[in-house]
Every structure is written in structure tokens, then in C-alpha cells.
Amino acid sequence: MTTHEVPRALLVGGFRARRSYGLGGLSKRATIIGALIVLAEGLIGTQVPWSLLVTLPVTAVAFVLAASRRHGMPALSYYWAKFAWKRATRFQATSYRRLLLPFPYVLDLPGVGASSTLIAAHDPTTGKKVGVVHDRSTGWMTISTLLAPGGSLMAPTGAVQSGLRTWSSVLDAMSADDQVKGAKVTIQITPGAGEALGDDVRARRDPKAPRLAKQIADELVRTTPHATASVASWMSVTVDPAASPNPPSDLPEQVAEALRVVDGLDLAGTGTDIERRATDVDLRRIVRSAYDPEVFHARDRDFEQLQWGECGPVAADDTWEEYAHDGGISISQVLQEMPRHAIPYSVLLPLLAPGRFQRRITLAYRVLDPYEGEAVLEREISHAYNRAQATAEMKGRPTYAQRADAQRAESAAEQVAGGSQVVDWTLMVTVTARSAAELSAARAELDRAVKSMRSIRLRPAYGAQGAVFAAGLPIGYNPLVKS
């Protein structure tokens, strides 16, 4: 049985991308903007007819770009993003250099993490330290939980089903709490963790063992550091303490309120074990080792005195398809298209397999409240039927893809009516090479893993490499959550 040949009971479905209704493949907003532009051109053309010779070709090109697709997105959006990125590069906004500033100035993380700061808190319920990331611009708090995922490939079908149902219950709990803004689950695979195993084997080897056994052990010790990896996983939950019926007045009370909300999310039974809440030292290690993988296995005392801004890079350059930083060069990919059919629960296994380079896989969630989710689905059903009806009027019948899309929208609405929740989600993957010479090998390794999934398509994060890199870190940034 391969990773894709699983019982139907372990297939996960219900995926659908939002699609607005517009003219000729355009979105609703693009259609309205285009109609206004054409109307304005017509009014101007009545006074200055020769202007139509310039405006009409330009408008036609814009319509074609907006209706066509490039890498899974509207071509107009793609080229506009590239223009914006080139403009930012001209003003050196895509380069970061850490400066030594005198007190009381502080160093911030680059890019989307600039507004975050780290708070070393004390959890009175457990008596242990907890690291809380505070977003100074929104006031939101992000708390991370270190996880120890258990393997489920050899687990009974009933156990896997129970884990999927429990995870669904966790998402339901998020939808019922206005304070929970979003969540992320990240798994980081760092190669080269076999040194400790090799030391342990050498210390425990019996000197009286047969020579063949010693040779086999030596061969394993020699190859293990290159064939094993250290797996670290965590879940980050972003909370708005001010959304409480009794908003806390000061920062300590806000931290306590955020801890209370996160403690209310029970992950027991989801197929993973909770190690503990991440401390401030854990967060410094995760962030710093992302920019410099060489320090991932350093001792805790090496991170205790680091300021939050010092966990970031000394220098970084955010290019169109790469992100160069202290310890190497990273490339990130994002979800291009939702799966159009049910997928096996083990579909991400090729991405989670150890490789030569550090890899970080992040699933980001934003659970819609029941009223918003119901309104979204009703709107999606209307859009699906409007598209099918428009096609039927022009071609005599709607396309099969349009009929299937309408059926998926109705099926989702039926599930919501039965108590399910609507969840916005996305997948992000980052691979870090130690040098520019290894970048092509890292890219090829990631491409092979993505193709092995078959059901899920990813694309490079064009012009947003630094943002997607940061989205996989527990620094309070979630691309699905808007302030």
C-alpha cells in the first residue's frame, strides 16, 4: 500500500477555492472596475474622440491580463506584483542590514516581524516559563506550543479517524472564540542530527564484539549523520486579548488573558503529544536557527542573552525567488491550487521526509465564525450558478467543471448546515541551502517532494520570499489574518 492508497475512510475532502462572479473570467471587482473604466473612456471619447486610439488598446490589454492566469494567479496581479517588487528594489526596500544603535533604541526583526517583541512570561497554572510574542501594532499575542507528533502510518484506521475528528473539534473551538484570530502548525526538519547518536553508539560498543559487528557499527556511525534529521514541531495561536468581554487594562493582564485562551484549546487526541509551552529561549532558538541552521543544536545558554532583534539576520536580501540571509539562501513555495478531490491524510508525507537541507512546512488556518462561514458559502453558491448560467446562455450548456464546482459549493453548505465550520487555510514550504552553490540542489529536492504529493500543487512565492520565510516562524505573523 503506497502513501496514496489508503482506505476511503481516511480520505479528507471538502476543499474549494473562493471564486467571485465576473465577466469573461474576471472577478467581480475587476468587472466593476473595468465597466467604470470603459464608461469613463466613452465619456471622454465623446469630447476627444482621438483619445480612444490610445485608451482602448491599453484597456484591452489590461482586460486580457486580468482574465488570463500566470502561476495560478491573475496575470495582471502577477505583473503588478513584479512591478511593485522592482520599485521596492530600486529604493533598497528589499535589503536589510542590522545597525548597531545606541540605547534606548532597540533592534527589530526584518520585514513582517518588525512590529513583534518577545515577552518572557510566567504561567501560574503550570509554574513554568512561557514565551509570548506581542505585536505592538495590533496588540495581539502569539503563544506557541511545542509538539511531539506521533507516527500514524502504522496506526489502526479507527485511531487515525479519531485524530482527524479531534482536530476538527479543535478548529470548531477556534470558530466559537472571537479572541482566536488564527493558528499555524509548523514542522521543521533539520538534517545532521545523527552526531549524538554516533557518540552514543561508540560509547556503548562492546570491545569484545566480533570484527564484522564492529565494522557494521562503524559504517552506521559514519553514514548516520548524513541520513538522519532532527524534527521540531510547534503550533502557534494568535489571540486578541482586547476581544474579551472585559478587556484587560495593562500588559500583564493581556498576557494572562492570552494564556487562558490558549489553555482552552485541548489538543489531546489529535495524534500529537504536547511537550510544553515554548519558552522565550525556545523561540529565540527557533528564529535564530532558521536564519542560521548551524546553531540549531547549540546549548540553551547560547540563546538566553540574545535580544529579540538579534535572533534575526545581520543582513538579508529579499529577491524575486530567493531569500538570502546569514546562514544561507532560502526558497519558499506556497499553495497554488486547492485539491479538487479528496486526498489521503498522509499526502504531505513526501514533504516531511528528511533530506539534505533544512525544510519547514507550515499549515496556516483562519477559522470563520459560523455566521461569516454561512454567508460566504451562500455567496459562493450564487456565484457558481451565475457562472454556469452565463456559460449556458453563450454555449448552450455549462461546462462540466462549472457543474462540479457548483456541486462542491452545495456540498460544503450542506456540511456547514450540519455543524461543520469553514476554514481558510494555506500551505507554505521553505527550504534553506547553506550556500549559493547548493541552491540548485535544494530547489531540485523541493521540486521532487512537491511532485511526489501529486494532489497538491505549489508555486514559488514570487516577490514574497521574506514574508513566507517569516510566516513559518513563531513571530506572530499569519498571512491569513488581517488586522
Side-chain angles (χ1 to χ4, degrees):
M1 179 179 291
T2 67
T3 56
H4 294 273
E5 296 171 349
V6 298
R8 293 186 61 85
L10 298 183
L11 296 178
V12 182
F15 307 108
R16 187 180 180 278
R18 295 191 188 186
R19 296 182 177 92
S20 60
Y21 171 68
L23 180 65
L26 298 176
S27 64
K28 181 179 180 180
R29 179 182 300 178
T31 301
I32 295 175
I33 294 175
L36 293 176
I37 292 176
V38 172
L39 179 61
E41 289 179 349
L43 294 176
I44 296 174
T46 58
Q47 304 297 325
V48 189
W50 61 265
S51 65
L52 297 177
L53 298 176
V54 177
T55 59
L56 287 180
V58 173
T59 302
V61 171
F63 270 110
V64 171
L65 291 177
S68 59
R69 311 289 291 181
R70 181 77 187 271
H71 302 293
M73 68 182 80
L76 185 61
S77 299
Y78 173 83
Y79 289 114
W80 177 258
K82 194 161 191 177
F83 168 77
W85 174 81
K86 288 184 176 181
R87 183 175 182 273
T89 302
R90 189 179 304 113
F91 290 97
Q92 298 183 346
T94 58
S95 297
Y96 170 83
R97 300 294 183 268
R98 186 194 299 173
L99 301 176
L100 298 178
L101 303 176
F103 184 84
Y105 297 102
V106 296
L107 295 174
D108 294 324
L109 294 178
V112 295
S115 62
S116 67
T117 184
L118 180 61
I119 300 174
H122 177 80
D123 189 353
T125 59
T126 60
K128 298 180 180 179
K129 295 181 179 179
V130 179
V132 179
V133 177
H134 178 220
D135 192 321
R136 292 168 293 187
S137 62
T138 62
W140 296 349
M141 306 279 183
T142 299
I143 298 174
S144 299
T145 303
L146 301 183
L147 307 175
S152 59
L153 293 179
M154 301 298 292
T157 300
V160 178
Q161 285 182 301
S162 177
L164 294 175
R165 286 193 298 267
T166 305
W167 179 245
S168 177
S169 300
V170 173
L171 296 178
D172 287 345
M174 293 182 186
S175 69
D177 195 334
D178 294 335
Q179 294 180 268
V180 178
K181 296 302 179 181
K184 297 183 300 181
V185 177
T186 301
I187 298 178
Q188 179 175 282
I189 302 102
T190 304
E195 287 84 352
L197 179 61
D199 295 340
D200 182 67
V201 170
R202 282 190 290 266
R204 298 171 59 185
R205 187 173 59 179
D206 187 355
K208 299 180 181 179
R211 185 176 64 178
L212 179 60
K214 292 181 179 179
Q215 292 176 350
I216 294 176
D218 291 339
E219 180 67 16
L220 289 174
V221 168
R222 185 181 66 83
T223 59
T224 291
H226 305 284
T228 61
S230 175
V231 180
S233 56
W234 60 87
M235 178 179 179
S236 300
V237 180
T238 300
V239 177
D240 182 10
S244 171
N246 298 313
S249 57
D250 55 13
L251 187 60
E253 291 184 0
Q254 293 174 6
V255 172
E257 180 67 16
L259 289 172
R260 183 195 64 78
V261 172
V262 175
D263 287 340
L265 299 176
D266 187 9
L267 298 180
T270 58
T272 184
D273 296 327
I274 298 177
E275 289 189 1
R276 53 184 168 81
R277 301 287 183 225
T279 65
D280 57 317
V281 176
D282 294 327
L283 298 180
R284 291 189 186 99
R285 176 191 295 275
I286 292 173
V287 175
R288 184 61 201 144
S289 63
Y291 290 101
D292 187 4
E294 293 287 348
V295 304
F296 180 80
H297 301 289
R299 296 177 176 85
D300 286 348
R301 64 171 178 265
D302 296 331
F303 300 96
E304 290 177 351
Q305 302 302 321
L306 281 181
Q307 298 295 323
W308 185 236
E310 294 175 332
C311 298
V314 175
D317 292 299
D318 192 359
T319 65
W320 182 245
E321 294 188 40
E322 301 163 3
Y323 184 59
H325 46 84
D326 289 357
I329 304 177
S330 296
I331 51 177
S332 298
Q333 295 191 9
V334 296
L335 184 67
Q336 174 176 333
E337 184 180 6
M338 293 285 187
R340 298 187 180 183
H341 54 81
I343 58 177
Y345 75 101
S346 57
V347 67
L348 296 181
L349 192 60
L351 281 180
L352 302 176
R356 290 178 52 194
F357 307 97
Q358 185 185 74
R359 188 183 304 165
R360 197 162 46 254
I361 302 96
T362 300
L363 278 167
Y365 300 92
R366 185 179 76 92
V367 186
L368 280 63
D369 66 74
Y371 298 105
E372 182 184 1
E374 184 177 352
V376 167
L377 288 179
E378 289 296 331
R379 186 165 58 248
E380 289 297 307
I381 292 175
S382 299
H383 291 167
Y385 277 103
N386 288 336
R387 285 192 299 270
Q389 184 177 0
T391 303
E393 292 176 355
M394 291 186 297
K395 298 183 179 180
R397 65 173 181 85
T399 64
Y400 182 82
Q402 289 175 337
R403 292 199 302 266
D405 183 65
Q407 292 175 358
R408 285 195 297 269
E410 288 186 342
S411 177
E414 183 178 354
Q415 293 176 8
V416 170
S420 300
Q421 303 299 333
V422 181
V423 180
D424 282 343
W425 68 278
T426 189
L427 174 66
M428 299 167 286
V429 183
T430 297
V431 173
T432 300
R434 303 297 177 88
S435 63
E438 297 180 340
L439 185 60
S440 58
R443 195 187 305 274
E445 180 180 278
L446 178 58
D447 291 339
R448 284 195 300 269
V450 171
K451 290 179 181 178
S452 298
M453 292 191 299
R454 302 178 185 176
S455 300
I456 297 180
R457 298 176 60 188
L458 303 179
R459 64 166 177 81
Y462 297 110
Q465 291 287 322
V468 176
F469 180 95
L473 303 178
I475 63 174
Y477 171 67
N478 188 329
L480 299 180
V481 178
K482 306 299 181 182
S483 59

